[in-house]
C-alpha cells in the first residue's frame, strides 16, 4: 500500500464545488487567477462531466469485492469518499446500461390530443348555391299562394280555407318542381306524377348558373352540390309542410342536383370555346350587323363542309401531327386535372344538338296545334268564368307544362304516341280518345293520323344529319370516330328516356292513372329512326 506524504503548502483559494474531486480543484485553481467569468464556467462544466464519468465507472463495480473497493477509495481524495455514492442495481448489482441512467424522468403532465376539422375549400359556397336554388322558387310560390288566397278570401267557396292551407299548396307546387309526386286529393291511390318540366328546367338553369358562379379553383367541389341541395330542400320543406314526403323530396332533389352538376360542366365547356363578343341590345344596329356577319361566316363554312366533306378529316390529321386533340377539355380537380378526350366531347355535343333540334320541331308543332285548335281551348277556359288575373295565372301554369307537352309531341312524331288515360292512344296511325280533364291546352290534342310517311321523312332527315355530322366530326382514328357517334347516340337516348319518364305517370285516380308516353318504347324508336341512319352514313363515308 502506497504512503501519502502531506506537504505543508498553502492551498489556493478555490471555490468549493460539491461535485468536484480534490484533484479537479487543484487543476482549476491556476486557471481562475487570470481568466474571465466565461472561462471559469467552461472549466467547471468540464470538471463536472469528468466527475460524472468517474461516478458511472464506480456504479458498474460489484460491492462484494472489498479489494477493488479499497483501491478505489484509496486512489481518490477525501471529498470523493464523502460525496460520491455507489449506485446499486435492483438485479444484484449489475447495471442495465448507460442509456438507462441518462433517461430523463417522464413528465407528469400529459399533452392533450387536438382534433382539427377542416371543411374543404368551396363546400360552403356550394351550400350557399343550393340554398338560393331552393329558397328563391320557394318564396315565389309562397308569395303567389298568399296573394291568391287574400284576393279570393271573400269568395263563399273559400270560407273553409285558411291561409296556412294556401301556403301548403304553394310549398307542394315548389316540391313538385323537383319531380316529387303529390297526392291529388282524391284518395291515397290518386297521385299527380306528371311533372311540369318547365319548372324542373327552371330549377336546373338557376342551380347550374349559381354553382358555376360560386366555384373557386377546383371543379371537383361541384360533386358536393347534389347532397347540399337534397339536405337544404328537406330543411326548407320542413318550414311549410305540403302534401309531399320528406324522404321522396330528398331523393328527387338529389337526382336534380346531379343533373345540375352536368349542366354546370356544360357551361364550363361553353366558357372554354372561343369568345364571341356581342354588342348590347341598346345598340340594335350594331347587334344586327354582328349577327349578319356570324350568319354569313357560318354559311360559308357550311358550303365548304358540304362541298369538301373530308375537310374535318384532313384537319384532324394535321392536328394529330402537331399532338393536338380536337375538342379536348380539361378541368382542374382537387389534386389533379381531369382531361376528357375530344371524341367524348364531340359526341355529347352531337347528341345534344339532335335533341335540341327535336325540341325546336316539337315547339313549332305544339304552337301550331294550339292556334289551329284555339276555339276548343277557349271553350274549356270559358267554363271556369275566371277574371283576367286568374286567367293569366292559368296560362302561366300551362306554360310551365309546355316542355311536358313537347315531350308528348316527340313521342307522337317518333311513332309510339302517348296515352291520355287507360285504353286510349294518340299516335301517327291510331287515335282512341276518352274523357279528358278540363285543362285548356288539352283541347289542342291531335286528332289526325298523318300516317307512316312521317317516319320515312325522319329517316331521310337522319341520313342528311349523318352526312353533316361527318363533315364536322370526322376523325383519323376509325375507332375514335365511331366511338364519338356512339356517345352521341347514348346521350340522345338517355335524354329522351329521362324526359319521357318525367312527362308520364298519373294525373288522378282510375283511368287517369295512365298518362303520357312510354319511355323505353319512345327511346327505342328514336334509336332506330334517327341514330341507325346517322351511324350508317358516318361509318360508310369514313376513308378507313
Amino acid at each position: 500500500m502506497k504512503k501519502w506524504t502531506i506537504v505543508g503548502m498553502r492551498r489556493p483559494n478555490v471555490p468549493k464545488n460539491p461535485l468536484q474531486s480534490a484533484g479537479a480543484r487543484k487543476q482549476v485553481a491556476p486557471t481562475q487567477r487570470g481568466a474571465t467569468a466565461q472561462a471559469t464556467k467552461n472549466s467547471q462544466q468540464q470538471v463536472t462531466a469528468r466527475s460524472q464519468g468517474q461516478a458511472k465507472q464506480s456504479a458498474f463495480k460489484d460491492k462484494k469485492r472489498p479489494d477493488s473497493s479499497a483501491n478505489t477509495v484509496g486512489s481518490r481524495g477525501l471529498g470523493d469518499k464523502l460525496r460520491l455514492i455507489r449506485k446499486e442495481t435492483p438485479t444484484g448489482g449489475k447495471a442495465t446500461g448507460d442509456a438507462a441512467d441518462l433517461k430523463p424522468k417522464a413528465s407528469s403532465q400529459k399533452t392533450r390530443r387536438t382534433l382539427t376539422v377542416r371543411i374543404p375549400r368551396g363546400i360552403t359556397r356550394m351550400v350557399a348555391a343550393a340554398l338560393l336554388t331552393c329558397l328563391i322558387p320557394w318564396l315565389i310560390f309562397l308569395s303567389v299562394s298568399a296573394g291568391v288566397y287574400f284576393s279570393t278570401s271573400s269568395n263563399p267557396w273559400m270560407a273553409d280555407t285558411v291561409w296556412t292551407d294556401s301556403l301548403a299548396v304553394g310549398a307542394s307546387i315548389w316540391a313538385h318542381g323537383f319531380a316529387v309526386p303529390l297526392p291529388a286529393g282524391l284518395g291515397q291511390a290518386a297521385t299527380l306524377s306528371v311533372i311540369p318540366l318547365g319548372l324542373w328546367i327552371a330549377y336546373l338553369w338557376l342551380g347550374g348558373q349559381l354553382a358555376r358562379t360560386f366555384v373557386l379553383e377546383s371543379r371537383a367541389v361541384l360533386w358536393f352540390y347534389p347532397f347540399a341541395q337534397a339536405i337544404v330542400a328537406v330543411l326548407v320543406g320542413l318550414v311549410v309542410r305540403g302534401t309531399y314526403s320528406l324522404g321522396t323530396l330528398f331523393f328527387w332533389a338529389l337526382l336534380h342536383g346531379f343533373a345540375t352538376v352536368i349542366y354546370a360542366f356544360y357551361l364550363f365547356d361553353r366558357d372554354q370555346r372561343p369568345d364571341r363578343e356581342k354588342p348590347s341590345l341598346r345598340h340594335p344596329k350594331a347587334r344586327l350587323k354582328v349577327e349578319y356577319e356570324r350568319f354569313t361566316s357560318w354559311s360559308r363554312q357550311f358550303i365548304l363542309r358540304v362541298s369538301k366533306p373530308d375537310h374535318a378529316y384532313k384537319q384532324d390529321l394535321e392536328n394529330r401531327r402537331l399532338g393536338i386533340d380536337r375538342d379536348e377539355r380539361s378541368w382542374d380537380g382537387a389534386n389533379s386535372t381531369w382531361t376528357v378526350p375530344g371524341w367524348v366531347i364531340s359526341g355529347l355535343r352531337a347528341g345534344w344538338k339532335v335533341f335540341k333540334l327535336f325540341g325546336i320541331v316539337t315547339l313549332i308543332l305544339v304552337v301550331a296545334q294550339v292556334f289551329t285548335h284555339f276555339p276548343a281551348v277557349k271553350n274549356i277556359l270559358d267554363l271556369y268564368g275566371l277574371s283576367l288575373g286568374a286567367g293569366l295565372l292559368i296560362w302561366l301554369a300551362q306554360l310551365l307544362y309546355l316542355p311536358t307537352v313537347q315531350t308528348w309531341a316527340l313521342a307522337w312524331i317518333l311513332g309510339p304516341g302517348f296515352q291520355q288515360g287507360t285504353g286510349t292512344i294518340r299516335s301517327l296511325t291510331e287515335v282512341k280518345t276518352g274523357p279528358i280533364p278540363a285543362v285548356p291546352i288539352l283541347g289542342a290534342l291531335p286528332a289526325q293520323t298523318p300516317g307512316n310517311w312521317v317516319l320515312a321523312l325522319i329517316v331521310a332527315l337522319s341520313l342528311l344529319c349523318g352526312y353533316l355530322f361527318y363533315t364536322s366530326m370526322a376523325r383519323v382514328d376509325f375507332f375514335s370516330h365511331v366511338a364519338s357517334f356512339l356517345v352521341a347516340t347514348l346521350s340522345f337516348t338517355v335524354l329522351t328516356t329521362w324526359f319521357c319518364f318525367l312527362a308520364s305517370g298519373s294525373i288522378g285516380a282510375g283511368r287517369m292513372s295512365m298518362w303520357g308516353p312510354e319511355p323505353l318504347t319512345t327511346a327505342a324508336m328514336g334509336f332506330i329512326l334517327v341514330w341507325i341512319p346517322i351511324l350508317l352514313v358516318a361509318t360508310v363515308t369514313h376513308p378507313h
Side-chain angles (χ1 to χ4, degrees):
M1 184 174 181
K2 294 182 182 180
K3 295 182 179 181
W4 294 87
T5 305
I6 301 175
V7 183
M9 296 179 64
R10 183 180 179 182
R11 295 181 63 185
N13 188 13
V14 180
K16 294 183 180 181
N17 187 351
L19 299 179
Q20 292 179 350
S21 61
R25 295 195 194 103
K26 292 179 182 180
Q27 294 179 2
V28 174
T31 62
Q32 290 181 345
R33 295 175 181 175
T36 59
Q38 183 66 26
T40 304
K41 183 178 181 181
N42 295 336
S43 62
Q44 290 178 356
Q45 292 177 356
Q46 294 176 359
V47 173
T48 303
R50 188 179 303 171
S51 62
Q52 290 178 355
Q54 293 176 357
K56 288 182 181 180
Q57 292 178 0
S58 62
F60 285 102
K61 293 184 178 180
D62 194 355
K63 66 178 182 179
K64 293 183 179 181
R65 296 174 59 185
D67 54 343
S68 174
S69 176
N71 292 335
T72 305
V73 173
S75 63
R76 291 198 296 265
L78 182 60
D80 291 339
K81 295 177 183 178
L82 299 176
R83 296 183 180 89
L84 293 179
I85 302 174
R86 183 173 296 157
K87 297 181 180 179
E88 295 181 0
T89 60
T91 57
K94 293 184 179 180
T96 57
D98 295 345
D101 296 334
L102 297 176
K103 284 184 178 180
K105 295 183 179 179
S107 176
S108 60
Q109 295 181 356
K110 296 182 179 180
T111 58
R112 294 183 178 179
R113 296 181 61 182
T114 57
L115 180 61
T116 304
V117 179
R118 295 180 180 177
I119 300 177
R121 184 177 177 86
I123 286 184
T124 54
R125 298 170 71 90
M126 290 297 100
V127 174
L131 181 62
L132 291 176
T133 304
C134 297
L135 201 59
I136 292 175
W138 183 75
L139 292 175
I140 291 175
F141 281 109
L142 291 188
S143 301
V144 172
S145 301
V148 170
Y149 170 77
F150 287 113
S151 62
T152 58
S153 58
S154 59
N155 193 332
W157 296 95
M158 302 289 292
D160 297 333
T161 304
V162 296
W163 66 275
T164 54
D165 295 336
S166 179
L167 294 182
V169 171
S172 300
I173 297 174
W174 165 79
H176 197 48
F178 287 110
V180 177
L182 300 176
L186 299 177
Q188 295 295 330
T191 57
L192 177 62
S193 58
V194 178
I195 308 303
L197 281 174
L199 191 57
W200 191 86
I201 294 173
Y203 290 178
L204 183 72
W205 178 86
L206 179 61
Q209 294 290 340
L210 290 174
R212 183 194 61 152
T213 305
F214 287 1
V215 163
L216 295 175
E217 295 86 0
S218 176
R219 307 290 189 268
V221 75
L222 278 172
W223 295 109
F224 185 79
Y225 178 85
F227 303 96
Q229 178 170 277
I231 295 173
V232 170
V234 171
L235 294 178
V236 173
L238 282 172
V239 179
V240 178
R241 287 299 304 273
T243 58
Y244 48 81
S245 170
L246 292 178
T248 308
L249 177 60
F250 180 88
F251 175 75
W252 287 105
L254 183 66
L255 290 184
H256 187 276
F258 282 111
T260 304
V261 170
I262 295 173
Y263 176 65
F265 275 106
Y266 166 76
L267 295 177
F268 282 119
D269 173 68
R270 192 178 64 179
D271 293 339
Q272 293 186 17
R273 301 178 195 178
D275 189 14
R276 298 176 180 177
E277 296 183 359
K278 296 181 180 180
S280 174
L281 294 175
R282 299 177 181 177
H283 307 282
K285 292 184 179 180
R287 184 68 175 266
L288 183 62
K289 181 180 179 181
V290 170
E291 295 293 340
Y292 176 76
E293 291 177 354
R294 286 184 57 188
F295 176 76
T296 54
S297 176
W298 176 84
S299 60
R300 286 195 297 266
Q301 293 178 0
F302 180 78
I303 294 173
L304 178 63
R305 285 164 49 190
V306 173
S307 60
K308 297 180 179 180
D310 292 332
H311 176 71
Y313 179 87
K314 295 178 180 179
Q315 185 180 6
D316 186 67
L317 180 61
E318 185 65 24
N319 291 339
R320 291 292 180 180
R321 292 174 181 174
L322 298 176
I324 301 174
D325 186 7
R326 187 182 65 209
D327 297 330
E328 184 182 272
R329 287 292 179 266
S330 298
W331 291 284
D332 295 331
N335 299 316
S336 60
T337 302
W338 304 344
T339 302
V340 182
W343 57 270
V344 176
I345 299 299
S346 60
L348 292 175
R349 287 181 186 172
W352 169 245
K353 287 179 181 178
V354 175
F355 188 78
K356 190 165 58 175
L357 177 63
F358 274 101
I360 296 173
V361 172
T362 53
L363 178 61
I364 295 173
L365 181 62
V366 169
V367 173
Q369 193 75 9
V370 169
F371 274 103
T372 55
H373 293 75
F374 190 75
V377 174
K378 188 175 181 302
N379 290 335
I380 297 176
L381 186 63
D382 292 340
L383 294 176
Y384 294 97
L386 301 175
S387 61
L388 179 61
L392 292 177
L393 192 61
I394 290 293
W395 281 106
L396 179 61
Q398 294 182 108
L399 187 62
L400 295 178
Y401 273 95
L402 178 60
T404 305
V405 179
Q406 289 181 246
T407 307
W408 300 346
L410 175 64
W412 185 78
I413 63 176
L414 288 178
F418 61 95
Q419 292 179 321
Q420 59 174 18
T422 304
T424 60
I425 187 69
R426 291 181 185 266
S427 64
L428 295 175
T429 58
E430 185 181 8
V431 175
K432 290 183 179 180
T433 61
I436 59 175
V439 179
I441 197 172
L442 296 182
L445 292 176
Q448 61 272 23
T449 55
N452 291 327
W453 66 268
V454 178
L455 305 180
L457 179 62
I458 292 176
V459 172
L461 293 177
S462 299
L463 293 173
L464 179 60
C465 289
Y467 179 78
L468 295 177
F469 278 134
Y470 171 79
T471 60
S472 60
M473 295 174 55
R475 290 180 172 271
V476 175
D477 185 16
F478 179 75
F479 294 99
S480 299
H481 176 78
V482 175
S484 64
F485 283 90
L486 291 177
V487 170
T489 304
L490 180 62
S491 62
F492 177 83
T493 304
V494 170
L495 286 173
T496 303
T497 306
W498 178 249
F499 273 75
C500 288
F501 173 74
L502 294 180
S504 61
S506 171
I507 61 173
R511 61 179 303 272
M512 291 291 100
S513 60
M514 299 293 294
W515 195 282
E518 180 64 31
L520 296 180
T521 306
T522 306
M525 289 300 296
F527 173 74
I528 295 172
L529 297 177
V530 179
W531 287 104
I532 287 183
I534 291 178
L535 289 171
L536 182 63
V537 173
T539 305
V540 171
T541 53
H542 195 273
H544 294 169

